[in-house]
Amino acid sequence: MLSPLYITILLAVIYPSYQLYNSLRYRLQARNAGCSSPSKYRHKDPILGLDLFLRRIESMKLGDTLALDQNLFDTYGKTVQTNVWGTKQYVTMDAKNIQTICATQVDRFGSAPMNNAPCKPFLGDGIITVDGAHWKHSRNLINPIFARAQIAELSTFGSHVRRMIGKIPKDGSTIDMQPLLKMLFLDSNTEFIFGESANSLALETSSVIARRLPAIFDDALKGMRKRFVLGKLAFLAGSDKEWLGKCAEVHAIIDGFIEEEIRVKQLAKRDELSKKSKSEETPYSYVLLKELVRATDDKIFIRNELMNVFFPARDTTAAMTGNILFLLARHPEVWNTLRKEVLAVGEQELTFELLKSMKYMNAVMSEGKSFIRRPLTDDEKLRLYSLGLRLLNPVARSWKTCTQTCILPHGGGPNGDKPILLQPGDQVDMSFASMHVDPDIWVTDSRKFKPERWIGLKHSWNFIPFFGGRRTCPAQQNVLTDMSYVLTRLMQEFKYCENRDEYKNYVEEFVFTKESRNGVKVAFL
Ligand code: HEM
């Protein structure tokens, strides 16, 4: 039997030799491919990179994760090599590198290596946690449902918005819009995804199960987040038993919805349909659950997809709409300009087509494609949306893992202008938040509201709040339509939106998405 001392000595020799061998082999391959290494983060803990991990946790506590990224990029350049739990991770804000990962070399990167292990017990194998053929199958099923839903569902969404507006004080007293917006989007998303609204804005308790779901879901989500953040040290998150119990509770509720929908489908087949399913009772014409049950009888597959859509839907749109209101309340001149255009619509019904046809609203929604080369008119300041998505996007970054040897075009060598060789297993951490305030792209005052900055700027890959390439958010159009609907209705109803928050600056709160730690305290007059 080997003594502990002997094992320690052996490890002390083997580990550095193994590292040295890998490093020499990598350097040789990189040189042969004409690549250079990027700047390396100077870790105090070169084995697990614990020091940088602790800095990241600290920046989250302070509510300013961008500051840490900025510090990294200012010190090391736009792409920096770091160590995350013993794995090489390239943190980048370089638009060309991001484009390579999302589009040109997309087949060489995957989401599953990082997402699947920590998320599978809760989310299962679905669109977010898988790659390859399985992902393609999920995406092909889901894409058309989102496309149809965005056109069909505004009148139903309108009834949720009406309820929300009914809860806003009309006497100018202060209200925190963040929780109200969360209720709004919870109600509409649960209706679209499960066919049963949580009805959190309604007085009546119409669905106990749907009402319970968000709270248990959030509990289980916390466990998943801990495991995701801890990576290889996920065992530190504590007993899996309690977490798995919560996951099972969520699954049981969703399985109930699925069973009911399948039963109705079978009855319909036998022409014995006496009762409508819950999803058919909702006014939504396209319910994700119903469409999935139509496509397959595989209950686990259906549950996984529902979980994988409810997870990104949970709070993102509410956080984003809240962030835009946060800015509007601090920029009354922009509120006024935006309202002028909204009022010009008159009494017309707010259809998808109308919202799309509104000149400035349309300019806002096609953001990322259009490109203005003349001074902006006042109305073009409506591009505030892009400010919201640029500065306060709830999804600030994305991680992927390299699955096949690949070359990133920038970031290597002392000037950062040489390509970098990536090997299978290397991770990339793309900071959109930093790219979206990069002074090289947005010029001076890149963190300030300054619509004139759009003059002469080409920003296709410089501005990707919904990601880019084939894994772009499938809900992008739905989200933009819903947000413009909510803002239009608020502007039709109220003349002013006044900031009532003693804190002027935005402090982030990160769960999986970024929202305002101090809420969105305003008064509508
Ligand atoms: C303002 C709101 C939203 C923003 C900014 C946003 C942004 C994003 C981003 C950046 C990604 C790529 C993530 C990655 O690969 O790392 C993504 C993916 C995704 N989003 Fe959204 N999202 C929003 C709302 C929603 C909503 C409401 C839903 C569902 C109803 C949704 C469903 C999805 C799904 C299913 C994916 C995975 C796509 C795939 O991997 O193929 N998102 N979103």
Side-chain angles (χ1 to χ4, degrees):
M1 180 128 157
L2 298 177
S3 75
L5 179 68
Y6 186 76
I7 292 174
T8 311
I9 294 171
L10 211 60
L11 282 177
V13 174
I14 289 175
Y15 182 74
S17 316
Y18 176 70
Q19 291 287 81
L20 186 68
Y21 167 74
N22 271 344
S23 156
L24 289 174
R25 204 179 53 149
Y26 170 76
R27 272 196 225 167
L28 192 68
Q29 278 178 351
R31 205 182 55 201
N32 290 342
C35 295
S36 299
S37 293
S39 306
K40 291 193 179 85
Y41 182 79
R42 286 182 287 278
H43 280 283
K44 288 186 189 127
D45 166 16
I47 297 178
L48 291 176
L50 201 62
D51 52 334
L52 182 56
F53 172 76
L54 294 176
R55 279 185 76 188
R56 289 221 178 272
I57 299 289
E58 189 55 28
S59 74
M60 279 188 203
K61 281 191 196 148
L62 292 172
D64 194 356
T65 51
L66 188 59
L68 172 56
D69 278 339
Q70 218 46 62
N71 179 277
L72 278 188
F73 296 129
D74 287 348
T75 314
Y76 297 97
K78 289 187 189 180
T79 301
V80 48
Q81 183 184 320
T82 66
N83 176 349
V84 174
W85 305 127
T87 299
K88 230 189 247 179
Q89 186 176 82
Y90 297 93
V91 187
T92 188
M93 60 176 280
D94 183 309
K96 275 271 172 253
N97 285 347
I98 292 177
Q99 181 180 5
T100 304
I101 296 157
C102 300
T104 27
Q105 299 285 325
V106 63
D107 287 328
R108 291 167 189 261
F109 292 90
S111 301
M114 276 179 97
N115 290 352
N116 199 276
C119 305
K120 186 169 174 162
F122 186 43
L123 299 183
D125 287 331
I127 189 165
I128 285 188
T129 56
V130 297
D131 295 322
H134 189 155
W135 169 81
K136 205 168 173 195
H137 178 57
S138 300
R139 188 81 198 202
N140 286 344
L141 262 178
I142 279 172
N143 265 356
I145 303 171
F146 276 99
R148 287 196 296 262
Q150 79 186 263
I151 297 177
E153 314 299 6
L154 269 179
S155 58
T156 314
F157 182 61
S159 60
H160 294 298
V161 176
R162 232 181 349 267
R163 281 188 193 145
M164 184 194 78
I165 289 178
K167 291 196 178 299
I168 297 176
K170 311 286 181 293
D171 61 357
S173 44
T174 304
I175 175 139
D176 184 353
M177 285 301 288
Q178 197 160 267
L180 217 51
L181 286 164
K182 280 188 184 177
M183 287 189 226
L184 167 69
F185 286 104
L186 172 68
D187 289 357
S188 66
N189 280 328
T190 41
E191 198 161 21
F192 163 61
I193 296 169
F194 305 115
E196 199 168 330
S197 174
N199 267 340
S200 57
L201 284 167
L203 290 174
E204 73 278 11
T205 314
S206 66
S207 163
V208 179
I209 289 180
R211 277 197 170 210
R212 257 185 69 215
L213 178 63
I216 316 172
F217 189 91
D218 288 351
D219 266 358
L221 205 58
K222 278 183 206 143
M224 184 175 101
R225 181 170 183 263
K226 255 194 219 161
R227 283 155 183 84
F228 183 82
V229 171
L230 285 171
K232 286 178 187 158
L233 302 192
F235 60 88
L236 293 176
S239 152
D240 272 353
K241 202 171 153 209
E242 197 188 329
W243 178 52
L244 292 177
K246 288 193 173 135
C247 299
E249 264 188 85
V250 174
H251 295 165
I253 293 179
I254 293 179
D255 289 350
F257 294 150
I258 299 170
E259 294 289 350
E260 158 89 353
E261 194 59 51
I262 290 180
R263 199 178 60 80
V264 169
K265 190 175 101 171
Q266 285 164 349
L267 283 176
K269 257 194 203 154
R270 282 187 266 141
D271 206 22
E272 290 172 14
L273 186 62
S274 56
K275 174 179 172 296
K276 282 187 169 182
S277 72
K278 283 275 183 344
S279 62
E280 274 169 321
E281 282 165 12
T282 72
Y284 268 60
S285 349
Y286 294 103
V287 168
L288 187 63
L289 165 63
K290 199 159 75 170
E291 300 296 319
L292 290 173
V293 167
R294 245 185 224 149
T296 173
D297 286 336
D298 183 341
K299 294 178 200 166
I300 298 294
F301 176 86
I302 297 172
R303 184 220 284 161
N304 291 346
E305 293 307 332
L306 293 173
M307 292 289 297
N308 274 254
V309 173
F310 189 51
F311 161 58
R314 178 68 183 92
D315 276 339
T316 36
T317 319
M320 190 61 241
T321 316
N323 289 347
I324 291 175
L325 274 180
F326 181 98
L327 291 161
L328 280 172
R330 284 155 179 79
H331 294 283
E333 74 289 357
V334 183
W335 168 278
N336 290 338
T337 314
L338 197 56
R339 191 164 179 268
K340 242 194 274 166
E341 197 225 26
V342 162
L343 293 188
V345 166
E347 300 287 299
Q348 295 179 68
E349 188 193 345
L350 295 179
T351 59
F352 172 77
E353 289 76 15
L354 179 68
L355 288 168
K356 272 222 111 173
S357 74
M358 285 164 73
K359 189 178 159 208
Y360 299 112
M361 207 63 100
N362 194 34
V364 166
M365 282 188 284
S366 60
E367 193 59 82
K369 291 174 206 144
S370 62
F371 167 30
I372 298 180
R373 288 182 185 276
R374 57 182 164 69
L376 292 176
T377 65
D378 264 359
D379 283 344
E380 277 159 353
K381 289 183 181 171
L382 266 174
R383 286 172 174 272
L384 173 72
Y385 267 121
S386 59
L387 169 87
L389 284 165
R390 188 173 70 84
L391 289 185
L392 298 181
N393 188 345
V395 188
R397 62 198 322 122
S398 172
W399 297 268
K400 301 283 173 227
T401 304
C402 173
T403 53
Q404 293 170 50
T405 304
C406 161
I407 292 176
L408 294 185
H410 284 166
N415 301 322
D417 54 354
K418 298 274 186 296
I420 306 172
L421 181 74
L422 265 63
Q423 295 169 309
D426 292 349
Q427 294 172 356
V428 286
D429 171 3
M430 295 168 275
S431 174
F432 313 140
S434 303
M435 181 172 75
H436 289 167
V437 293
D438 183 354
D440 291 345
I441 299 168
W442 311 99
V443 202
T444 46
D445 295 338
S446 60
R447 285 158 185 256
K448 290 213 172 110
F449 170 52
K450 203 174 165 196
E452 290 73 16
R453 76 176 71 259
W454 295 101
I455 302 162
L457 276 186
K458 194 168 182 226
H459 48 79
S460 53
W461 278 97
N462 298 335
F463 181 59
I464 47 165
F466 292 94
F467 209 62
R470 67 185 183 197
R471 280 193 106 137
T472 297
C473 178
Q476 172 172 353
Q477 271 308 322
N478 312 58
V479 166
L480 290 172
T481 309
D482 288 355
M483 288 198 310
S484 59
Y485 188 98
V486 174
L487 291 182
T488 301
R489 286 291 298 111
L490 284 172
M491 285 179 173
Q492 285 176 333
E493 210 73 30
F494 303 102
K495 247 179 155 173
Y496 304 110
C497 172
E498 198 175 277
N499 173 39
R500 290 284 173 87
D501 188 349
E502 57 180 299
Y503 300 100
K504 195 154 187 335
N505 292 336
Y506 187 87
V507 183
E508 305 163 358
E509 185 62 47
F510 255 105
V511 185
F512 265 100
T513 52
K514 179 164 87 178
E515 62 183 47
S516 164
R517 184 173 295 174
N518 301 315
V520 181
K521 298 185 192 86
V522 295
F524 288 98
L525 303 160

